[in-house]
């Protein structure tokens, strides 16, 4: 955005397993979060929210797309978000915002398999979903490796240049 623009800055923080009452801005007197408290004091803060899914990847995909897991296809951890999906980040970019992401996005697999308990729950609730002979929930006609951009081992091995317009993010770190 240009310096003269009146459009607001938009920051979205996503933290797994972080309850609101773990922040000073929400009344915690034991934990010190001065930077987040100052940011909250000068921002619009939403204090009533519900998740679309209690599991990381499906809920992040819902935040990103504004759709339920049954609509975007990421119903369980391990199913990557369709990179062509309409996302709020992509829409902000099209409206002239500079979009950046820092940290764990988890829109794709990060390089490890399901935890055994989660795998069992998936197999019980959706038999055949993890069958390697069946296609993923998101059928993508892409080059091999399209769903490995967030693989931790790749990033630990060295710098990984992320693709342009990664889910709408212009810069990813």
């Amino acid at each position: 955005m240009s310096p003269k623009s009146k459009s607001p800055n938009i920051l979205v923080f996503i933290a797994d397993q972080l309850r609101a009452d773990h922040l000073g801005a929400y009344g915690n007197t034991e934990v010190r979060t001065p930077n987040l408290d100052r940011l909250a004091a000068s921002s619009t803060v939403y204090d009533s929210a519900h998740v679309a899914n209690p599991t990381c990847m499906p809920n992040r995909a819902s935040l990103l797309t504004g759709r339920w897991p049954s609509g975007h296809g990421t119903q369980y951890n391990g199913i990557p978000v369709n990179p062509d999906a309409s996302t709020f980040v992509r829409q902000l970019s099209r409206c002239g915002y500079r979009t950046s992401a820092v940290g764990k996005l988890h829109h794709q697999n990060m390089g490890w398999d399901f935890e055994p308990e989660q795998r069992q729950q998936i197999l019980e609730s959706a038999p055949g979903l993890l069958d390697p002979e069946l296609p993923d929930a998101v059928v993508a006609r892409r080059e091999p490796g399209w769903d490995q951009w967030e693989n931790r081992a790749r990033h630990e091995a060295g710098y990984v240049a992320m693709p342009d317009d990664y889910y709408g993010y212009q810069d990813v770190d």
Side-chain angles (χ1 to χ4, degrees):
M1 305 295 328
S2 72
K4 296 178 183 179
S5 174
K6 295 195 187 277
S7 297
N9 290 321
I10 300 171
L11 296 174
V12 177
F13 288 92
I14 301 173
D16 294 341
Q17 294 91 25
L18 176 66
R19 295 180 359 192
D21 64 353
H22 289 177
L23 301 171
Y26 286 92
N28 190 306
T29 58
E30 299 295 319
V31 178
R32 303 289 180 238
T33 55
N35 295 324
L36 291 174
D37 298 346
R38 277 192 298 278
L39 185 60
S42 64
S43 303
T44 300
V45 176
Y46 299 93
D47 58 10
S48 179
H50 302 277
V51 297
N53 188 300
T55 307
C56 183
M57 285 181 73
N59 195 61
R60 287 171 185 260
S62 290
L63 289 169
L64 190 67
T65 65
R67 300 172 72 198
W68 290 103
S70 58
H72 55 63
T74 303
Q75 296 186 37
Y76 304 98
N77 277 351
I79 301 173
V81 180
N82 179 348
D84 299 324
S86 177
T87 68
F88 82 91
V89 179
R90 194 165 277 134
Q91 296 306 318
L92 288 172
S93 179
R94 289 179 182 156
C95 290
Y97 275 87
R98 185 83 195 146
T99 58
S100 299
V102 176
K104 174 186 171 187
L105 297 177
H106 212 180
H107 302 325
Q108 296 185 352
N109 295 320
M110 296 175 67
W112 55 82
D113 200 1
F114 297 97
E115 294 177 19
E117 294 166 357
Q118 185 179 29
R119 177 178 286 279
Q120 187 60 36
Q121 290 171 353
I122 292 169
L123 291 172
E124 289 172 4
S125 65
L129 181 67
L130 300 178
D131 184 339
E133 300 300 317
L134 297 176
D136 288 339
V138 176
V139 177
R141 293 178 183 13
R142 295 183 173 78
E143 294 294 320
W146 72 270
D147 58 349
Q148 295 298 308
W149 288 105
E150 294 182 40
N151 184 296
R152 183 177 70 185
R154 287 182 69 190
H155 289 271
E156 287 175 350
Y159 175 75
V160 176
M162 300 297 280
D164 293 336
D165 187 41
Y166 187 69
Y167 295 99
Y169 302 106
Q170 298 158 340
D171 299 300
V172 179
D173 185 3

